[in-house]
């Protein structure tokens, strides 16, 4: 009885050891993606397994202990995972969306062989890159800087524009260190500093998207090594012509506002204060006449114009004319209450005993305004 138990334990340990060795010696497929992106893990299989059940498990995935995150013909534990089996191509694909940093690590493509716990496995390594976000303006230029490890210094560097590395491997290479320039894209590699710089000129909004910095590892049969990922966002900027148009529009609006306010002022009958200047006021002082609701008396009975009056000149013995001119306001109105009167100096011979000039002037006498 004891011998039988020992034999079963030995068989179990042998099976466990075989599963570990099988996992460690199988081919490792590496997939690289970026945060919030998606990845398609492609798992090829032999034709004899077309009708077998497929799955993806995470972690060590021992043959007796499996953490299956998704499997065919069953709902996934996490809705971000899905499995599609293409039997004609003999490949099943596991798609993971909305990737997170914690999704990185070791996975296994598994196929149930029907031979107990001896399923067929392919090891997967999933790498998640953090995204660097870069912004630019149309018409300008920018630099994308890619740092790499020293082991890649002799390899060919490149940058491609695509949402995933699987698509980048097929096409979308913008520029590489083999030619250093491709249209608006140029690449400069500084191997001593472990960095290569990609310059993009004359930016357009179509340049927006996901870019991958990579290197071709010649020592590993020209396998791509993904260095970093950039999310580039190009927005429209103000060109000189647009700025001139904007300035012209603002200037036109300002002038229109000015004209409107002037029209509004005239429509409401707003009048500025009139200032009466007199020759006998000391030091050039002026007297302000405040607008009231009453009319002033006519200066001359011969003048009956309601808006202004003109005092005709009289003659002194020295033929020195004295006159006053009442000027028409800039905005005539039937409610005009007063006029500005300017005086001229008298003849130079008319002086007082102390040498001061004398002059005659007219006084405008207001009607009784009830004050």
């Amino acid at each position: 009885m004891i011998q039988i138990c020992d034999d079963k334990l030995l068989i179990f340990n042998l099976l466990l050891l075989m599963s570990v060795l099988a996992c460690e010696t199988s081919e490792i497929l590496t997939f690289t993606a970026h945060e919030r992106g998606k990845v398609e893990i492609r798992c090829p299989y032999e034709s004899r397994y077309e009708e077998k059940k497929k799955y993806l498990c995470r972690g060590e995935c021992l043959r007796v202990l499996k953490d299956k995150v998704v499997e065919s013909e069953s709902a996934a534990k996490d809705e971000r995972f899905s499995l599609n089996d293409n039997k004609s191509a003999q490949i099943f694909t596991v798609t993971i969306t909305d990737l997170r940093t914690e999704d990185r690590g070791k996975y296994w493509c598994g196929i149930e062989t029907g031979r107990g716990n001896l399923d067929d496995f392919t090891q997967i390594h999933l790498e998640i890159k953090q995204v660097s976000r870069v912004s630019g303006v149309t018409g300008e230029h920018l630099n994308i800087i890619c740092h790499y490890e020293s082991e890649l210094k002799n390899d060919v560097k490149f940058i491609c524009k695509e949402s995933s590395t699987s698509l980048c491997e097929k096409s979308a290479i913008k520029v590489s260190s083999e030619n250093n320039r491709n249209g608006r894209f140029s690449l400069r590699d500084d191997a001593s500093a472990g960095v290569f710089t990609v310059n993009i000129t004359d930016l357009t909004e179509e340049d927006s998207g996901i870019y991958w910095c990579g290197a071709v590892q010649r020592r590993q049969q020209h396998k791509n090594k993904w260095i970093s990922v950039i999310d580039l966002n190009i927005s429209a900027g103000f060109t000189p012509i647009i700025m001139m148009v904007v300035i012209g529009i603002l200037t036109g609006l300002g002038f229109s506002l000015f004209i409107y306010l002037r029209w509004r002022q005239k429509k409401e009958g707003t009048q500025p204060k009139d200032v009466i200047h007199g020759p006998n006021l000391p030091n050039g002082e002026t007297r302000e006449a405040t607008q009231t609701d009453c009319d002033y008396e006519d200066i001359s009975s011969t003048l009956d114009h309601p808006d202004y009056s003109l005092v005709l000149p009289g003659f002194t013995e020295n033929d020195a004319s004295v006159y006053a001119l009442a000027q028409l306001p800039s905005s005539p109105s039937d409610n005009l209450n007063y006029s500005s009167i300017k005086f001229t100096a008298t003849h130079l011979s008319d002086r007082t005993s102390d040498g001061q000039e004398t002059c005659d002037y007219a006084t405008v006498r207001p009607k009784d305004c009830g004050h």
Side-chain angles (χ1 to χ4, degrees), residues 275-281 287 299 311 321-327 339-346 359-364:
V275 180
I276 301 177
H277 299 270
N280 290 341
L281 295 179
R287 295 198 308 269
I299 295 178
V311 179
S321 62
V322 179
Y323 65 91
L325 177 63
Q327 294 181 336
S339 299
S340 298
I341 303 177
K342 297 183 179 179
F343 296 88
T344 61
T346 60
C359 66
D360 297 328
Y361 62 92
T363 302
V364 180

Tab-separated table of all heavy atoms in Angstrom, residues 275-281 287 299 311 321-327 339-346 359-364:
chain	number	residue	atom	x	y	z
A	275	VAL	N	-18.385	127.507	-23.422
A	275	VAL	CA	-17.479	128.335	-22.638
A	275	VAL	C	-17.470	129.729	-23.219
A	275	VAL	O	-17.284	129.908	-24.437
A	275	VAL	CB	-16.052	127.755	-22.646
A	275	VAL	CG1	-15.135	128.631	-21.834
A	275	VAL	CG2	-16.074	126.347	-22.095
A	276	ILE	N	-17.693	130.707	-22.396
A	276	ILE	CA	-17.676	132.109	-22.820
A	276	ILE	C	-16.303	132.674	-22.542
A	276	ILE	O	-15.813	132.600	-21.422
A	276	ILE	CB	-18.757	132.922	-22.083
A	276	ILE	CG1	-20.137	132.318	-22.375
A	276	ILE	CG2	-18.682	134.381	-22.448
A	276	ILE	CD1	-21.256	132.991	-21.637
A	277	HIS	N	-15.664	133.184	-23.581
A	277	HIS	CA	-14.349	133.798	-23.444
A	277	HIS	C	-14.504	135.312	-23.452
A	277	HIS	O	-15.156	135.868	-24.324
A	277	HIS	CB	-13.437	133.373	-24.603
A	277	HIS	CG	-13.214	131.888	-24.652
A	277	HIS	ND1	-12.194	131.270	-24.001
A	277	HIS	CD2	-13.941	130.910	-25.262
A	277	HIS	CE1	-12.243	129.988	-24.209
A	277	HIS	NE2	-13.315	129.739	-24.972
A	278	GLY	N	-13.931	135.979	-22.549
A	278	GLY	CA	-13.986	137.438	-22.509
A	278	GLY	C	-12.611	138.034	-22.385
A	278	GLY	O	-11.739	137.461	-21.748
A	279	PRO	N	-12.376	139.184	-23.007
A	279	PRO	CA	-11.037	139.789	-23.000
A	279	PRO	C	-10.623	140.340	-21.661
A	279	PRO	O	-9.453	140.490	-21.409
A	279	PRO	CB	-11.173	140.909	-24.041
A	279	PRO	CG	-12.634	141.250	-24.040
A	279	PRO	CD	-13.347	139.982	-23.794
A	280	ASN	N	-11.596	140.648	-20.782
A	280	ASN	CA	-11.237	141.257	-19.501
A	280	ASN	C	-11.029	140.253	-18.384
A	280	ASN	O	-10.837	140.630	-17.242
A	280	ASN	CB	-12.321	142.259	-19.080
A	280	ASN	CG	-12.308	143.502	-19.982
A	280	ASN	OD1	-11.294	143.758	-20.645
A	280	ASN	ND2	-13.410	144.232	-20.015
A	281	LEU	N	-11.138	138.914	-18.714
A	281	LEU	CA	-10.932	137.920	-17.664
A	281	LEU	C	-9.450	137.771	-17.416
A	281	LEU	O	-8.662	137.590	-18.362
A	281	LEU	CB	-11.528	136.580	-18.079
A	281	LEU	CG	-13.059	136.565	-18.255
A	281	LEU	CD1	-13.503	135.180	-18.687
A	281	LEU	CD2	-13.755	136.980	-16.992
A	287	ARG	N	-15.329	131.509	-18.464
A	287	ARG	CA	-16.558	131.318	-17.691
A	287	ARG	C	-17.402	130.263	-18.381
A	287	ARG	O	-17.620	130.329	-19.596
A	287	ARG	CB	-17.351	132.624	-17.605
A	287	ARG	CG	-16.665	133.736	-16.842
A	287	ARG	CD	-17.677	134.791	-16.429
A	287	ARG	NE	-18.485	135.281	-17.531
A	287	ARG	CZ	-18.166	136.326	-18.274
A	287	ARG	NH1	-17.042	136.982	-18.064
A	287	ARG	NH2	-18.958	136.727	-19.254
A	299	ILE	N	-30.103	139.447	-28.531
A	299	ILE	CA	-29.116	140.522	-28.444
A	299	ILE	C	-29.584	141.725	-29.253
A	299	ILE	O	-29.383	142.863	-28.872
A	299	ILE	CB	-27.758	140.018	-28.933
A	299	ILE	CG1	-27.252	138.920	-27.988
A	299	ILE	CG2	-26.736	141.130	-29.022
A	299	ILE	CD1	-25.947	138.321	-28.418
A	311	VAL	N	-24.348	140.066	-33.723
A	311	VAL	CA	-24.329	141.492	-33.362
A	311	VAL	C	-23.536	142.229	-34.412
A	311	VAL	O	-22.344	141.943	-34.613
A	311	VAL	CB	-23.711	141.692	-31.975
A	311	VAL	CG1	-23.687	143.169	-31.623
A	311	VAL	CG2	-24.512	140.913	-30.943
A	321	SER	N	-13.882	149.100	-34.594
A	321	SER	CA	-15.094	148.275	-34.592
A	321	SER	C	-15.112	147.344	-33.389
A	321	SER	O	-14.090	146.798	-33.007
A	321	SER	CB	-15.200	147.458	-35.882
A	321	SER	OG	-14.107	146.577	-35.975
A	322	VAL	N	-16.287	147.218	-32.823
A	322	VAL	CA	-16.494	146.282	-31.715
A	322	VAL	C	-17.646	145.357	-32.110
A	322	VAL	O	-18.701	145.838	-32.480
A	322	VAL	CB	-16.837	147.030	-30.410
A	322	VAL	CG1	-17.059	146.031	-29.280
A	322	VAL	CG2	-15.748	148.007	-30.073
A	323	TYR	N	-17.410	144.077	-32.042
A	323	TYR	CA	-18.473	143.171	-32.453
A	323	TYR	C	-18.370	141.872	-31.665
A	323	TYR	O	-17.350	141.567	-31.081
A	323	TYR	CB	-18.436	142.880	-33.951
A	323	TYR	CG	-17.220	142.157	-34.393
A	323	TYR	CD1	-17.195	140.769	-34.440
A	323	TYR	CD2	-16.057	142.866	-34.755
A	323	TYR	CE1	-16.060	140.095	-34.831
A	323	TYR	CE2	-14.929	142.189	-35.151
A	323	TYR	CZ	-14.917	140.818	-35.195
A	323	TYR	OH	-13.807	140.143	-35.585
A	324	ALA	N	-19.445	141.153	-31.680
A	324	ALA	CA	-19.488	139.812	-31.057
A	324	ALA	C	-20.194	138.873	-32.022
A	324	ALA	O	-21.172	139.244	-32.641
A	324	ALA	CB	-20.243	139.873	-29.726
A	325	LEU	N	-19.677	137.698	-32.123
A	325	LEU	CA	-20.231	136.696	-33.035
A	325	LEU	C	-20.734	135.507	-32.225
A	325	LEU	O	-19.962	134.888	-31.505
A	325	LEU	CB	-19.171	136.218	-34.037
A	325	LEU	CG	-19.629	135.106	-34.997
A	325	LEU	CD1	-20.778	135.608	-35.884
A	325	LEU	CD2	-18.452	134.636	-35.846
A	326	ALA	N	-21.971	135.253	-32.337
A	326	ALA	CA	-22.537	134.054	-31.674
A	326	ALA	C	-22.500	132.908	-32.679
A	326	ALA	O	-23.174	132.964	-33.688
A	326	ALA	CB	-23.972	134.325	-31.220
A	327	GLN	N	-21.706	131.918	-32.402
A	327	GLN	CA	-21.493	130.816	-33.345
A	327	GLN	C	-22.571	129.737	-33.183
A	327	GLN	O	-23.018	129.441	-32.085
A	327	GLN	CB	-20.123	130.174	-33.124
A	327	GLN	CG	-18.986	131.125	-33.461
A	327	GLN	CD	-17.650	130.437	-33.250
A	327	GLN	OE1	-17.576	129.507	-32.484
A	327	GLN	NE2	-16.618	130.919	-33.931
A	339	SER	N	-25.378	130.743	-26.463
A	339	SER	CA	-24.379	130.699	-27.516
A	339	SER	C	-23.051	131.160	-26.967
A	339	SER	O	-22.981	131.943	-26.024
A	339	SER	CB	-24.776	131.597	-28.691
A	339	SER	OG	-25.991	131.165	-29.259
A	340	SER	N	-21.959	130.654	-27.555
A	340	SER	CA	-20.626	131.106	-27.180
A	340	SER	C	-20.317	132.409	-27.898
A	340	SER	O	-20.556	132.534	-29.106
A	340	SER	CB	-19.576	130.053	-27.555
A	340	SER	OG	-19.835	128.878	-26.846
A	341	ILE	N	-19.793	133.354	-27.178
A	341	ILE	CA	-19.504	134.675	-27.745
A	341	ILE	C	-18.020	134.944	-27.615
A	341	ILE	O	-17.452	134.825	-26.541
A	341	ILE	CB	-20.294	135.793	-27.033
A	341	ILE	CG1	-21.797	135.479	-27.130
A	341	ILE	CG2	-19.962	137.152	-27.601
A	341	ILE	CD1	-22.654	136.470	-26.393
A	342	LYS	N	-17.360	135.265	-28.724
A	342	LYS	CA	-15.943	135.606	-28.721
A	342	LYS	C	-15.780	137.089	-29.050
A	342	LYS	O	-16.439	137.607	-29.940
A	342	LYS	CB	-15.183	134.739	-29.736
A	342	LYS	CG	-15.212	133.260	-29.412
A	342	LYS	CD	-14.404	132.484	-30.402
A	342	LYS	CE	-14.422	131.012	-30.049
A	342	LYS	NZ	-13.644	130.203	-31.012
A	343	PHE	N	-14.879	137.734	-28.351
A	343	PHE	CA	-14.663	139.180	-28.501
A	343	PHE	C	-13.336	139.441	-29.161
A	343	PHE	O	-12.389	138.677	-28.999
A	343	PHE	CB	-14.689	139.849	-27.127
A	343	PHE	CG	-16.024	139.734	-26.436
A	343	PHE	CD1	-16.301	138.622	-25.645
A	343	PHE	CD2	-17.006	140.680	-26.606
A	343	PHE	CE1	-17.517	138.490	-25.012
A	343	PHE	CE2	-18.213	140.556	-25.966
A	343	PHE	CZ	-18.486	139.467	-25.164
A	344	THR	N	-13.264	140.568	-29.900
A	344	THR	CA	-11.996	141.011	-30.472
A	344	THR	C	-11.452	142.154	-29.651
A	344	THR	O	-12.169	142.845	-28.936
A	344	THR	CB	-12.182	141.485	-31.923
A	344	THR	OG1	-13.076	142.585	-31.931
A	344	THR	CG2	-12.769	140.377	-32.775
A	345	ALA	N	-10.151	142.312	-29.732
A	345	ALA	CA	-9.516	143.396	-28.976
A	345	ALA	C	-9.866	144.749	-29.583
A	345	ALA	O	-10.145	144.866	-30.781
A	345	ALA	CB	-8.009	143.211	-28.969
A	346	THR	N	-9.868	145.812	-28.807
A	346	THR	CA	-10.161	147.180	-29.271
A	346	THR	C	-8.950	147.773	-29.945
A	346	THR	O	-7.889	147.155	-30.012
A	346	THR	CB	-10.567	148.055	-28.084
A	346	THR	OG1	-9.480	148.076	-27.181
A	346	THR	CG2	-11.781	147.478	-27.382
A	359	CYS	N	-11.865	147.784	-23.975
A	359	CYS	CA	-12.703	147.296	-25.073
A	359	CYS	C	-14.146	147.357	-24.651
A	359	CYS	O	-14.471	147.424	-23.464
A	359	CYS	CB	-12.327	145.877	-25.468
A	359	CYS	SG	-12.676	144.697	-24.176
A	360	ASP	N	-15.017	147.340	-25.655
A	360	ASP	CA	-16.447	147.280	-25.406
A	360	ASP	C	-16.917	145.856	-25.605
A	360	ASP	O	-16.384	145.138	-26.424
A	360	ASP	CB	-17.191	148.226	-26.368
A	360	ASP	CG	-16.792	149.673	-26.129
A	360	ASP	OD1	-16.488	150.002	-24.961
A	360	ASP	OD2	-16.778	150.427	-27.103
A	361	TYR	N	-17.913	145.467	-24.886
A	361	TYR	CA	-18.441	144.135	-25.074
A	361	TYR	C	-19.921	144.113	-24.765
A	361	TYR	O	-20.436	145.007	-24.083
A	361	TYR	CB	-17.705	143.134	-24.185
A	361	TYR	CG	-17.841	143.402	-22.699
A	361	TYR	CD1	-18.861	142.803	-21.971
A	361	TYR	CD2	-16.935	144.236	-22.046
A	361	TYR	CE1	-18.980	143.031	-20.625
A	361	TYR	CE2	-17.061	144.466	-20.695
A	361	TYR	CZ	-18.081	143.877	-19.981
A	361	TYR	OH	-18.197	144.094	-18.643
A	362	ALA	N	-20.556	143.080	-25.257
A	362	ALA	CA	-21.993	142.934	-25.060
A	362	ALA	C	-22.261	141.870	-24.023
A	362	ALA	O	-21.573	140.870	-23.976
A	362	ALA	CB	-22.673	142.578	-26.370
A	363	THR	N	-23.263	142.108	-23.225
A	363	THR	CA	-23.639	141.134	-22.195
A	363	THR	C	-24.935	140.451	-22.605
A	363	THR	O	-25.901	141.106	-22.963
A	363	THR	CB	-23.827	141.827	-20.847
A	363	THR	OG1	-22.621	142.486	-20.496
A	363	THR	CG2	-24.198	140.820	-19.761
A	364	VAL	N	-24.936	139.114	-22.550
A	364	VAL	CA	-26.151	138.349	-22.840
A	364	VAL	C	-26.917	138.191	-21.546
A	364	VAL	O	-26.417	137.594	-20.597
A	364	VAL	CB	-25.805	136.971	-23.429
A	364	VAL	CG1	-27.090	136.216	-23.712
A	364	VAL	CG2	-24.994	137.138	-24.719
